Amino acid sequence: MTETYDTDVVCFDLDDTLCTYSQDGDEVLSAAFERAGVSQCWDIDAYYDHYRDYLADSTDILDLRRQCFGDLTVAAGHDRAAGEAVADAFEELRDQERIEPLPGARQVVDQLATEYRLGLITNGPPEMQRTKLEAIGLDDRFETVVCAGYDTAPKPAAEPFDLALEQLESSPERAVYIGNSLSSDVAGARTAGLRSVWIPATGDVPPQPTPEPSHTLGSLEELATPPW
């Protein structure tokens, strides 16, 4: 028998769930090292792996990158100032408006908005994340936008989910969260008591994902046919 839920709220992650950069991150980082006159000593995945660690203690995205890039460069045996110079160059090269929606993002959000109250819970600085929403034409679709790491503790803490549900006048058992990350999105939703829908950013899906999402979908378009 198909399980049904009494759902009134749907919340989304942003990066690699609803949108992605049209600029390749590896290429931007390589160009930043070159512009700063520094030999490249770590790759973009190192930044993505540690990005969340700096959210709570940074004032904006440049401050976050200067801290993170500096630490990564020191760990690689070079000067902190060199890493900070790479961060400054990366800021000049990374265009926050060169964002494109993932296939089906606008259609699915518009469709779900007719049935549910919608929220966005994203790890990232408010100005940067709102610029992305404007770039993909979804800046007016969400009743609440929680920029975790700035408005609250970063995901996977329960706090950003709790805040979004408070603002949407709902509760965990009546809400579902959709994201691409097991460690931030699925783990955070589970901690806060929400059901989770995992849409992996790549096709490389482990047979037993950990933590286990409530549902796994292959694309945003599949959200058009609940239950999930």
Side-chain angles (χ1 to χ4, degrees), residues 7-57:
T7 303
D8 57 22
V9 161
V10 176
C11 292
F12 285 87
D13 172 49
L14 179 59
D15 295 289
D16 294 318
T17 296
L18 293 175
C19 68
T20 189
Y21 283 104
S22 55
Q23 292 175 299
D24 182 84
D26 281 311
E27 294 177 3
V28 175
L29 182 63
S30 294
F33 271 103
E34 183 176 352
R35 178 173 290 193
V38 178
S39 296
Q40 185 161 352
C41 51
W42 45 270
D43 61 22
I44 197 69
D45 287 337
Y47 168 50
Y48 294 154
D49 288 345
H50 293 281
Y51 172 88
R52 191 172 66 203
D53 300 338
Y54 297 86
L55 285 167
D57 296 319

Side-chain angles (χ1 to χ4, degrees), residues 85-160:
V86 175
D88 293 343
F90 194 96
E91 174 74 6
E92 295 169 0
L93 294 165
R94 174 64 101 186
D95 186 348
Q96 300 298 340
E97 295 184 356
R98 290 185 61 182
I99 299 290
E100 54 192 32
L102 289 175
R106 291 181 182 134
Q107 297 90 328
V108 164
V109 169
D110 285 344
Q111 178 180 330
L112 294 180
T114 66
E115 301 179 56
Y116 307 99
R117 301 185 72 176
L118 300 186
L120 190 87
I121 306 168
T122 173
N123 277 348
E127 182 178 357
M128 181 177 78
Q129 300 305 75
R130 291 185 182 279
T131 296
K132 293 175 186 175
L133 281 172
E134 291 173 7
I136 61 172
L138 293 178
D139 51 310
D140 61 348
R141 300 299 199 278
F142 301 98
E143 292 187 50
T144 185
V145 174
V146 176
C147 292
Y150 294 83
D151 298 332
T152 68
K155 298 180 293 183
E159 189 180 347

